[in-house]
mmCIF file of all heavy atoms in Angstrom:
data_model
loop_
_atom_site.group_PDB
_atom_site.id
_atom_site.type_symbol
_atom_site.label_atom_id
_atom_site.label_comp_id
_atom_site.label_asym_id
_atom_site.label_seq_id
_atom_site.Cartn_x
_atom_site.Cartn_y
_atom_site.Cartn_z
ATOM 1 N N ASP Q 1240 -2.921 -10.567 -1.278
ATOM 2 C CA ASP Q 1240 -3.172 -11.287 -2.466
ATOM 3 C C ASP Q 1240 -2.818 -10.467 -3.709
ATOM 4 O O ASP Q 1240 -3.430 -9.425 -4.014
ATOM 5 C CB ASP Q 1240 -4.742 -11.615 -2.527
ATOM 6 C CG ASP Q 1240 -5.135 -12.486 -3.719
ATOM 7 O OD1 ASP Q 1240 -4.791 -12.117 -4.855
ATOM 8 O OD2 ASP Q 1240 -5.773 -13.474 -3.479
ATOM 9 N N LEU Q 1241 -1.744 -10.862 -4.407
ATOM 10 C CA LEU Q 1241 -1.221 -10.088 -5.502
ATOM 11 C C LEU Q 1241 -2.294 -9.954 -6.607
ATOM 12 O O LEU Q 1241 -2.406 -8.891 -7.202
ATOM 13 C CB LEU Q 1241 0.053 -10.726 -6.108
ATOM 14 C CG LEU Q 1241 0.885 -9.931 -7.098
ATOM 15 C CD1 LEU Q 1241 1.242 -8.618 -6.548
ATOM 16 C CD2 LEU Q 1241 2.000 -10.715 -7.585
ATOM 17 N N ALA Q 1242 -3.016 -10.973 -6.999
ATOM 18 C CA ALA Q 1242 -3.897 -10.884 -8.096
ATOM 19 C C ALA Q 1242 -5.049 -9.954 -7.763
ATOM 20 O O ALA Q 1242 -5.474 -9.123 -8.545
ATOM 21 C CB ALA Q 1242 -4.537 -12.305 -8.413
ATOM 22 N N ARG Q 1243 -5.501 -9.973 -6.476
ATOM 23 C CA ARG Q 1243 -6.621 -9.169 -6.075
ATOM 24 C C ARG Q 1243 -6.065 -7.639 -6.127
ATOM 25 O O ARG Q 1243 -6.874 -6.784 -6.556
ATOM 26 C CB ARG Q 1243 -7.055 -9.561 -4.683
ATOM 27 C CG ARG Q 1243 -8.185 -8.679 -4.138
ATOM 28 C CD ARG Q 1243 -8.555 -9.217 -2.728
ATOM 29 N NE ARG Q 1243 -7.468 -8.852 -1.813
ATOM 30 C CZ ARG Q 1243 -7.430 -9.063 -0.596
ATOM 31 N NH1 ARG Q 1243 -8.336 -9.770 -0.047
ATOM 32 N NH2 ARG Q 1243 -6.489 -8.690 0.227
ATOM 33 N N SER Q 1244 -4.849 -7.506 -5.646
ATOM 34 C CA SER Q 1244 -4.350 -6.103 -5.611
ATOM 35 C C SER Q 1244 -4.102 -5.554 -7.053
ATOM 36 O O SER Q 1244 -4.459 -4.380 -7.401
ATOM 37 C CB SER Q 1244 -2.982 -6.117 -4.930
ATOM 38 O OG SER Q 1244 -2.371 -4.892 -4.949
ATOM 39 N N LYS Q 1245 -3.612 -6.397 -7.897
ATOM 40 C CA LYS Q 1245 -3.322 -5.977 -9.351
ATOM 41 C C LYS Q 1245 -4.732 -5.629 -9.984
ATOM 42 O O LYS Q 1245 -4.806 -4.713 -10.824
ATOM 43 C CB LYS Q 1245 -2.720 -7.074 -10.136
ATOM 44 C CG LYS Q 1245 -1.154 -7.070 -9.890
ATOM 45 C CD LYS Q 1245 -0.394 -8.193 -10.542
ATOM 46 C CE LYS Q 1245 -1.015 -8.560 -11.931
ATOM 47 N NZ LYS Q 1245 -0.390 -9.749 -12.574
ATOM 48 N N ARG Q 1246 -5.737 -6.356 -9.700
ATOM 49 C CA ARG Q 1246 -7.075 -5.974 -10.271
ATOM 50 C C ARG Q 1246 -7.479 -4.644 -9.806
ATOM 51 O O ARG Q 1246 -7.938 -3.807 -10.585
ATOM 52 C CB ARG Q 1246 -8.155 -7.002 -9.801
ATOM 53 C CG ARG Q 1246 -9.518 -6.685 -10.314
ATOM 54 C CD ARG Q 1246 -10.535 -7.716 -9.900
ATOM 55 N NE ARG Q 1246 -11.830 -7.320 -10.483
ATOM 56 C CZ ARG Q 1246 -12.809 -6.955 -9.681
ATOM 57 N NH1 ARG Q 1246 -12.809 -7.107 -8.371
ATOM 58 N NH2 ARG Q 1246 -13.994 -6.584 -10.193
ATOM 59 N N PHE Q 1247 -7.312 -4.305 -8.556
ATOM 60 C CA PHE Q 1247 -7.719 -3.016 -8.075
ATOM 61 C C PHE Q 1247 -6.882 -1.858 -8.795
ATOM 62 O O PHE Q 1247 -7.522 -0.896 -9.269
ATOM 63 C CB PHE Q 1247 -7.466 -2.929 -6.538
ATOM 64 C CG PHE Q 1247 -7.759 -1.562 -5.947
ATOM 65 C CD1 PHE Q 1247 -8.995 -1.232 -5.649
ATOM 66 C CD2 PHE Q 1247 -6.697 -0.612 -5.655
ATOM 67 C CE1 PHE Q 1247 -9.312 0.061 -5.036
ATOM 68 C CE2 PHE Q 1247 -7.039 0.597 -5.112
ATOM 69 C CZ PHE Q 1247 -8.283 0.914 -4.784
ATOM 70 N N TYR Q 1248 -5.595 -1.985 -8.824
ATOM 71 C CA TYR Q 1248 -4.843 -0.983 -9.430
ATOM 72 C C TYR Q 1248 -4.837 -0.959 -10.995
ATOM 73 O O TYR Q 1248 -4.819 0.170 -11.552
ATOM 74 C CB TYR Q 1248 -3.251 -1.104 -8.945
ATOM 75 C CG TYR Q 1248 -3.236 -0.655 -7.492
ATOM 76 C CD1 TYR Q 1248 -3.208 -1.686 -6.515
ATOM 77 C CD2 TYR Q 1248 -3.242 0.595 -7.134
ATOM 78 C CE1 TYR Q 1248 -3.193 -1.328 -5.111
ATOM 79 C CE2 TYR Q 1248 -3.185 1.019 -5.767
ATOM 80 C CZ TYR Q 1248 -3.208 0.016 -4.753
ATOM 81 O OH TYR Q 1248 -3.209 0.400 -3.445
ATOM 82 N N SER Q 1249 -4.979 -2.060 -11.610
ATOM 83 C CA SER Q 1249 -5.093 -2.146 -13.053
ATOM 84 C C SER Q 1249 -6.455 -1.793 -13.566
ATOM 85 O O SER Q 1249 -6.564 -0.907 -14.474
ATOM 86 C CB SER Q 1249 -4.675 -3.541 -13.633
ATOM 87 O OG SER Q 1249 -3.251 -3.673 -13.248
ATOM 88 N N GLU Q 1250 -7.472 -2.362 -12.999
ATOM 89 C CA GLU Q 1250 -8.781 -2.130 -13.513
ATOM 90 C C GLU Q 1250 -9.386 -0.805 -12.866
ATOM 91 O O GLU Q 1250 -10.102 -0.087 -13.573
ATOM 92 C CB GLU Q 1250 -9.748 -3.304 -13.195
ATOM 93 C CG GLU Q 1250 -9.380 -4.531 -13.998
ATOM 94 C CD GLU Q 1250 -10.289 -5.689 -13.630
ATOM 95 O OE1 GLU Q 1250 -11.394 -5.503 -13.118
ATOM 96 O OE2 GLU Q 1250 -9.855 -6.818 -13.871
ATOM 97 N N GLY Q 1251 -9.063 -0.603 -11.600
ATOM 98 C CA GLY Q 1251 -9.660 0.617 -10.980
ATOM 99 C C GLY Q 1251 -8.997 1.893 -11.477
ATOM 100 O O GLY Q 1251 -9.684 2.758 -11.866
ATOM 101 N N PHE Q 1252 -7.688 1.974 -11.293
ATOM 102 C CA PHE Q 1252 -6.922 3.195 -11.738
ATOM 103 C C PHE Q 1252 -6.585 3.118 -13.269
ATOM 104 O O PHE Q 1252 -6.269 4.182 -13.797
ATOM 105 C CB PHE Q 1252 -5.625 3.429 -10.960
ATOM 106 C CG PHE Q 1252 -5.872 3.944 -9.550
ATOM 107 C CD1 PHE Q 1252 -5.585 3.291 -8.373
ATOM 108 C CD2 PHE Q 1252 -6.380 5.294 -9.407
ATOM 109 C CE1 PHE Q 1252 -5.711 3.892 -7.183
ATOM 110 C CE2 PHE Q 1252 -6.539 5.916 -8.096
ATOM 111 C CZ PHE Q 1252 -6.254 5.134 -7.036
ATOM 112 N N GLY Q 1253 -6.558 1.952 -13.749
ATOM 113 C CA GLY Q 1253 -5.951 1.875 -15.136
ATOM 114 C C GLY Q 1253 -4.458 1.747 -15.235
ATOM 115 O O GLY Q 1253 -3.968 2.121 -16.359
ATOM 116 N N TRP Q 1254 -3.735 1.415 -14.222
ATOM 117 C CA TRP Q 1254 -2.341 1.412 -14.186
ATOM 118 C C TRP Q 1254 -1.824 0.028 -14.608
ATOM 119 O O TRP Q 1254 -2.399 -0.997 -14.231
ATOM 120 C CB TRP Q 1254 -1.825 1.777 -12.772
ATOM 121 C CG TRP Q 1254 -2.218 3.089 -12.270
ATOM 122 C CD1 TRP Q 1254 -2.656 4.137 -13.029
ATOM 123 C CD2 TRP Q 1254 -2.187 3.576 -10.953
ATOM 124 N NE1 TRP Q 1254 -2.943 5.232 -12.207
ATOM 125 C CE2 TRP Q 1254 -2.669 4.934 -10.950
ATOM 126 C CE3 TRP Q 1254 -1.816 2.969 -9.710
ATOM 127 C CZ2 TRP Q 1254 -2.726 5.627 -9.755
ATOM 128 C CZ3 TRP Q 1254 -1.891 3.693 -8.529
ATOM 129 C CH2 TRP Q 1254 -2.320 5.013 -8.589
ATOM 130 N N ALA Q 1255 -0.678 0.032 -15.367
ATOM 131 C CA ALA Q 1255 -0.077 -1.215 -15.748
ATOM 132 C C ALA Q 1255 1.224 -1.414 -15.024
ATOM 133 O O ALA Q 1255 2.066 -0.471 -14.899
ATOM 134 C CB ALA Q 1255 0.224 -1.246 -17.249
ATOM 135 N N PRO Q 1256 1.437 -2.630 -14.440
ATOM 136 C CA PRO Q 1256 2.653 -2.790 -13.764
ATOM 137 C C PRO Q 1256 3.916 -2.641 -14.800
ATOM 138 O O PRO Q 1256 3.788 -3.143 -15.892
ATOM 139 C CB PRO Q 1256 2.640 -4.205 -13.254
ATOM 140 C CG PRO Q 1256 1.235 -4.539 -13.205
ATOM 141 C CD PRO Q 1256 0.564 -3.685 -14.328
ATOM 142 N N VAL Q 1257 5.043 -2.217 -14.387
ATOM 143 C CA VAL Q 1257 6.253 -2.154 -15.168
ATOM 144 C C VAL Q 1257 7.118 -3.304 -14.828
ATOM 145 O O VAL Q 1257 8.050 -3.660 -15.640
ATOM 146 C CB VAL Q 1257 7.049 -0.869 -15.010
ATOM 147 C CG1 VAL Q 1257 6.296 0.327 -15.579
ATOM 148 C CG2 VAL Q 1257 7.450 -0.668 -13.585
ATOM 149 N N PHE Q 1258 6.864 -3.995 -13.715
ATOM 150 C CA PHE Q 1258 7.516 -5.247 -13.367
ATOM 151 C C PHE Q 1258 6.697 -5.969 -12.367
ATOM 152 O O PHE Q 1258 5.969 -5.389 -11.550
ATOM 153 C CB PHE Q 1258 8.914 -4.950 -12.650
ATOM 154 C CG PHE Q 1258 9.516 -6.168 -12.146
ATOM 155 C CD1 PHE Q 1258 10.272 -6.993 -12.983
ATOM 156 C CD2 PHE Q 1258 9.291 -6.570 -10.818
ATOM 157 C CE1 PHE Q 1258 10.945 -8.125 -12.449
ATOM 158 C CE2 PHE Q 1258 9.908 -7.764 -10.303
ATOM 159 C CZ PHE Q 1258 10.672 -8.547 -11.174
ATOM 160 N N GLU Q 1259 6.655 -7.336 -12.568
ATOM 161 C CA GLU Q 1259 5.936 -8.053 -11.625
ATOM 162 C C GLU Q 1259 6.492 -9.583 -11.584
ATOM 163 O O GLU Q 1259 7.045 -9.945 -12.537
ATOM 164 C CB GLU Q 1259 4.367 -8.139 -11.886
ATOM 165 C CG GLU Q 1259 4.046 -8.662 -13.283
ATOM 166 C CD GLU Q 1259 2.670 -8.609 -13.595
ATOM 167 O OE1 GLU Q 1259 1.810 -9.369 -12.960
ATOM 168 O OE2 GLU Q 1259 2.198 -7.803 -14.427
ATOM 169 N N ASN Q 1260 6.298 -10.063 -10.469
ATOM 170 C CA ASN Q 1260 6.698 -11.570 -10.251
ATOM 171 C C ASN Q 1260 5.677 -12.178 -9.369
ATOM 172 O O ASN Q 1260 4.647 -11.610 -9.197
ATOM 173 C CB ASN Q 1260 8.094 -11.716 -9.825
ATOM 174 C CG ASN Q 1260 8.410 -11.201 -8.441
ATOM 175 O OD1 ASN Q 1260 7.509 -11.062 -7.584
ATOM 176 N ND2 ASN Q 1260 9.684 -10.846 -8.187
ATOM 177 N N ALA Q 1261 5.892 -13.279 -8.774
ATOM 178 C CA ALA Q 1261 4.925 -13.958 -7.934
ATOM 179 C C ALA Q 1261 4.644 -13.301 -6.653
ATOM 180 O O ALA Q 1261 3.745 -13.668 -5.878
ATOM 181 C CB ALA Q 1261 5.401 -15.352 -7.660
ATOM 182 N N GLU Q 1262 5.584 -12.309 -6.211
ATOM 183 C CA GLU Q 1262 5.423 -11.644 -4.922
ATOM 184 C C GLU Q 1262 5.157 -10.190 -4.982
ATOM 185 O O GLU Q 1262 4.632 -9.630 -4.037
ATOM 186 C CB GLU Q 1262 6.786 -11.741 -4.155
ATOM 187 C CG GLU Q 1262 7.165 -13.139 -3.909
ATOM 188 C CD GLU Q 1262 8.631 -13.188 -3.267
ATOM 189 O OE1 GLU Q 1262 9.223 -12.123 -3.114
ATOM 190 O OE2 GLU Q 1262 9.072 -14.353 -2.838
ATOM 191 N N ILE Q 1263 5.409 -9.482 -6.086
ATOM 192 C CA ILE Q 1263 5.425 -8.086 -6.096
ATOM 193 C C ILE Q 1263 5.027 -7.466 -7.486
ATOM 194 O O ILE Q 1263 5.255 -8.161 -8.498
ATOM 195 C CB ILE Q 1263 6.790 -7.464 -5.697
ATOM 196 C CG1 ILE Q 1263 6.760 -5.988 -5.305
ATOM 197 C CG2 ILE Q 1263 7.923 -7.718 -6.788
ATOM 198 C CD1 ILE Q 1263 8.016 -5.523 -4.576
ATOM 199 N N ALA Q 1264 4.422 -6.348 -7.477
ATOM 200 C CA ALA Q 1264 4.155 -5.669 -8.729
ATOM 201 C C ALA Q 1264 4.683 -4.144 -8.527
ATOM 202 O O ALA Q 1264 4.320 -3.585 -7.438
ATOM 203 C CB ALA Q 1264 2.716 -5.635 -9.075
ATOM 204 N N PHE Q 1265 5.359 -3.579 -9.487
ATOM 205 C CA PHE Q 1265 5.759 -2.185 -9.429
ATOM 206 C C PHE Q 1265 5.016 -1.413 -10.500
ATOM 207 O O PHE Q 1265 4.889 -1.896 -11.617
ATOM 208 C CB PHE Q 1265 7.291 -2.100 -9.666
ATOM 209 C CG PHE Q 1265 8.118 -2.571 -8.551
ATOM 210 C CD1 PHE Q 1265 9.004 -3.647 -8.635
ATOM 211 C CD2 PHE Q 1265 8.155 -1.860 -7.302
ATOM 212 C CE1 PHE Q 1265 9.828 -4.043 -7.620
ATOM 213 C CE2 PHE Q 1265 8.910 -2.250 -6.259
ATOM 214 C CZ PHE Q 1265 9.794 -3.330 -6.413
ATOM 215 N N TYR Q 1266 4.592 -0.211 -10.155
ATOM 216 C CA TYR Q 1266 3.922 0.664 -11.044
ATOM 217 C C TYR Q 1266 4.747 1.874 -11.165
ATOM 218 O O TYR Q 1266 5.055 2.531 -10.164
ATOM 219 C CB TYR Q 1266 2.484 0.985 -10.530
ATOM 220 C CG TYR Q 1266 1.650 -0.213 -10.361
ATOM 221 C CD1 TYR Q 1266 1.686 -0.929 -9.184
ATOM 222 C CD2 TYR Q 1266 0.756 -0.659 -11.392
ATOM 223 C CE1 TYR Q 1266 0.904 -2.035 -9.047
ATOM 224 C CE2 TYR Q 1266 -0.073 -1.788 -11.143
ATOM 225 C CZ TYR Q 1266 0.033 -2.448 -10.016
ATOM 226 O OH TYR Q 1266 -0.797 -3.593 -9.861
ATOM 227 N N GLN Q 1267 5.106 2.283 -12.346
ATOM 228 C CA GLN Q 1267 5.889 3.571 -12.565
ATOM 229 C C GLN Q 1267 4.915 4.717 -12.448
ATOM 230 O O GLN Q 1267 3.927 4.747 -13.187
ATOM 231 C CB GLN Q 1267 6.535 3.549 -13.909
ATOM 232 C CG GLN Q 1267 7.413 4.829 -14.169
ATOM 233 C CD GLN Q 1267 8.537 4.997 -13.214
ATOM 234 O OE1 GLN Q 1267 9.331 4.151 -13.236
ATOM 235 N NE2 GLN Q 1267 8.552 6.058 -12.481
ATOM 236 N N MET Q 1268 5.222 5.592 -11.491
ATOM 237 C CA MET Q 1268 4.352 6.711 -11.229
ATOM 238 C C MET Q 1268 5.004 7.934 -11.842
ATOM 239 O O MET Q 1268 6.071 7.843 -12.480
ATOM 240 C CB MET Q 1268 4.071 6.959 -9.876
ATOM 241 C CG MET Q 1268 3.536 5.615 -9.145
ATOM 242 S SD MET Q 1268 2.061 4.884 -9.874
ATOM 243 C CE MET Q 1268 0.885 6.019 -9.247
ATOM 244 N N ASN Q 1269 4.483 9.117 -11.638
ATOM 245 C CA ASN Q 1269 5.149 10.301 -12.117
ATOM 246 C C ASN Q 1269 6.218 10.865 -11.153
ATOM 247 O O ASN Q 1269 5.915 11.732 -10.339
ATOM 248 C CB ASN Q 1269 4.109 11.357 -12.351
ATOM 249 C CG ASN Q 1269 3.186 11.597 -11.138
ATOM 250 O OD1 ASN Q 1269 3.146 10.799 -10.224
ATOM 251 N ND2 ASN Q 1269 2.396 12.691 -11.169
ATOM 252 N N GLY Q 1270 7.287 10.199 -11.184
ATOM 253 C CA GLY Q 1270 8.415 10.701 -10.357
ATOM 254 C C GLY Q 1270 8.822 9.757 -9.287
ATOM 255 O O GLY Q 1270 9.767 9.885 -8.525
#
């Protein structure tokens, strides 16, 4: 579930996707 996953990574870690669509979200990490 993309929305559920984005909530975990965005609200839990505080990370913002650098790209997302209906299937995938990418998070730019350090390297």
